[in-house]
Amino acid sequence: KQEVTQIPAALSVPEGENLVLNCSFTDSAIYNLQWFRQDPGKGLTSLLLIQSSQREQTSGRLNASLDKSSGRSTLYIAASQPGDSATYLCAVGPKLVFGKGTKLTVNP
Amino acid sequence: NAGVMQNPRHLVRRRGQEARLRCSPMKGHSHVYWYRQLPEEGLKFMVYLQKENIIDESGMPKERFSAEFPKEGPSILRIQQVVRGDSAAYFCASSPEHSGNTIYFGEGSWLTVV
């Protein structure tokens, strides 16, 4: 049974800092890994999708890496902004098993 | 191109009543997924449907819960005889095909059982 863990559960940083969110999964037989952002009381917004054959994906200030063999993914956020404050979720496909998320607060 | 549309956004039901949650996938998407997010918990997979077919319902509780995705109209998640433990956010998502593509989520339906 696939289990996904995200560390840390919460993170508070000053504006402008670079940061890394971690995601680990127990079964390396995945189709893909997806990072989402969830704002309070809202749905999920897809940030990056990494196929199982890929090692990383980039979008703007975000970079996600995937190491299937070790069961890990990281989401790197450069030059963080207060608008980045949200809960970040990773999920492994195909059925999308989710971690509990990392709640990020970026302080002005 | 409208996103995944869920309604109602908020629903209050008394114990024992029925709750019906609707989901219209994005245009051109034939795959629908339902997830449940309990307070302080992560999202849990419930069911995966294609038009007129349930593909995977391994996350659905055995009783009181059912889902459908008819040929015409939205996908429906139905909860009969609701209990307080059913209070949660229910998210629908859609994709154009399974496994390889980005999945798009709706804004969720928040069910409160009183």
Side-chain angles (χ1 to χ4, degrees):
Chain A
K1 179 187 172 187
Q2 179 74 271
E3 292 183 2
V4 179
T5 303
Q6 291 187 246
I7 295 173
L11 180 64
S12 181
V13 301
E15 182 177 2
E17 192 162 297
N18 302 325
L19 58 99
V20 174
L21 307 180
N22 297 292
C23 172
S24 61
F25 46 95
T26 54
D27 185 352
S28 61
I30 64 171
Y31 278 36
N32 53 41
L33 184 143
Q34 203 159 339
W35 282 93
F36 294 88
R37 167 186 174 139
Q38 185 176 27
D39 292 285
K42 298 287 186 181
L44 281 70
T45 300
S46 178
L47 298 173
L48 290 165
L49 169 69
I50 310 177
Q51 302 293 351
S52 61
S53 58
Q54 297 175 324
R55 295 296 296 259
E56 67 176 342
Q57 283 287 334
T58 299
S59 176
R61 294 182 293 109
L62 305 179
N63 175 276
S65 68
L66 174 64
D67 184 344
K68 269 181 56 176
S69 60
S70 67
R72 294 181 182 176
S73 175
T74 60
L75 179 66
Y76 174 83
I77 301 177
S80 59
Q81 303 170 358
D84 294 332
S85 298
T87 296
Y88 290 81
L89 298 162
C90 77
V92 295
K95 204 186 298 188
L96 286 190
V97 178
F98 282 84
K100 291 188 178 182
T102 294
K103 185 175 181 180
L104 173 65
T105 303
V106 181
N107 300 301
Chain B
N1 186 13
V4 179
M5 305 300 292
Q6 290 189 247
N7 70 82
R9 291 293 317 281
H10 299 274
L11 182 64
V12 179
R13 284 287 179 265
R14 296 184 185 280
R15 282 178 292 172
Q17 291 184 319
E18 178 179 288
R20 285 191 178 220
L21 309 177
R22 296 174 190 78
C23 169
S24 296
M26 286 182 71
K27 187 176 180 181
H29 288 192
S30 58
H31 298 247
V32 166
Y33 314 78
W34 284 94
Y35 292 82
R36 176 166 64 175
Q37 187 174 39
L38 292 164
E40 307 304 321
E41 294 286 328
L43 277 88
K44 302 293 185 185
F45 168 81
M46 298 183 75
V47 63
Y48 159 47
L49 310 104
Q50 292 181 25
K51 284 285 188 181
E52 300 183 279
N53 288 306
I54 296 175
I55 307 302
D56 183 345
E57 57 181 349
S58 57
M60 289 280 272
K62 298 296 181 205
E63 297 177 346
R64 303 186 298 108
F65 285 72
S66 63
E68 63 176 9
F69 188 16
K71 186 176 180 181
E72 301 291 338
S75 175
I76 306 285
L77 179 66
R78 182 183 179 202
I79 311 172
Q80 296 178 289
Q81 300 173 346
V82 296
V83 300
R84 287 218 171 114
D86 297 333
S87 296
Y90 292 83
F91 289 95
C92 172
S94 73
S95 71
E97 66 178 70
H98 193 42
S99 77
N101 292 79
T102 302
I103 186 170
Y104 298 87
F105 278 80
E107 294 277 282
S109 291
W110 267 257
L111 171 65
T112 302
V113 180
V114 298

